[in-house]
Amino acid sequence: MADTMRAAVIDAFGPAEALRIAEVPVPTPGEGEVLVRVHAAGVNAIDWFSRAGQGVGVRSFPAVLGWDVSGTAVDTGAEVFGMPRFPNLAGAYAEYVVAPAAELAAKPAGVDHRAAAAAPMVGTTAWQTLFRHGGLVEGQRVLVHGAAGGVGHVAVQLAADAGADVVGTASAHNHDFVAGLGAGRVVDYTAERVEDVVRDIDLVVDTRGGPDALRLLDVLRPGGVLVTLKGQDDALDRAAAARGLRTAYTYVSPDPEALAAVADLLARGGLRIAIEDVLPLERVADAHRTGERGHVRGRLVLDVS
């Protein structure tokens, strides 16, 4: 094996053009770590926020971005996937990455590396939101706001698989897509106010935050919970408490239980990861530009192999 590898690096915070392909040293695993030959890397919103200096992980330069990864363990040949080290930098936009063994799972045999690389962060986030913070149980009613997006389209499937009655919000051209994931009802948020047409929800998955989150309190039944991905919001907490509702916040981190659940769902076909586009590592800047424009259906993936 060579001593150097191709990687997408930044030398300073900046726009997508700040990303460049460079030859950098292959990392060396320490105790309890695995060197993974990367086949594919997922691209997440936190990646471009971090590139621009508004996210997490980057503390020195040059920096290799990326967390979601699927590949082959060099020592054993096992196919693995995961979201190692988050929120510390993992460096998945590269031909090799070192990851704590406990933060990887076996890639299901019937799932290709591109789909596996797209799954860890959105799958872990959706699982933690629904089950760890939302306490979802069979028979409850769940509203997923932004149901065609990365976390949203996974949350719809996980909730439906758990026996929930799922309502999703999406623009009109994504209605069939979201319904096909298991949503019993899809609301066009561009044409009507969700809170005017939906009621008696037990759990709201909020992927947008801000004014949207405040308005979505109106769809909850007494004792219901809104879990948001957008960080602490004191105004939201006060408004919810005044109505006898609960709020919770998902700050995703590596989670072996959640990753195992995602792997099981992928293996048995209960989870389909929608991929908007797959680009070679050399086009990482294009992937970031696409993501930053918004309205991506599902996920963006880099093919590193």
Side-chain angles (χ1 to χ4, degrees), residues 170-198:
S171 57
H173 80 279
N174 280 321
H175 276 211
D176 289 345
F177 169 67
V178 173
L181 299 173
R185 180 181 180 186
V186 187
V187 176
D188 182 358
Y189 66 86
T190 69
E192 52 191 349
R193 288 161 49 96
V194 182
E195 64 272 27
D196 291 340
V197 296
V198 177

Side-chain angles (χ1 to χ4, degrees), residues 10 12-14 44-61 63 65-67 85-90 121 229-230 251-252 288 292:
I10 56 172
F13 296 125
N44 295 284
I46 193 63
D47 298 6
W48 56 79
F49 284 126
S50 296
R51 184 212 72 227
Q54 301 166 354
V56 297
V58 181
R59 293 181 174 86
S60 62
F61 299 102
L65 298 179
W67 284 276
R85 303 192 187 281
F86 190 85
N88 296 314
L89 203 58
M121 187 170 289
L229 313 184
K230 293 302 180 180
Y251 299 97
V252 70
H288 275 225
E292 287 177 300

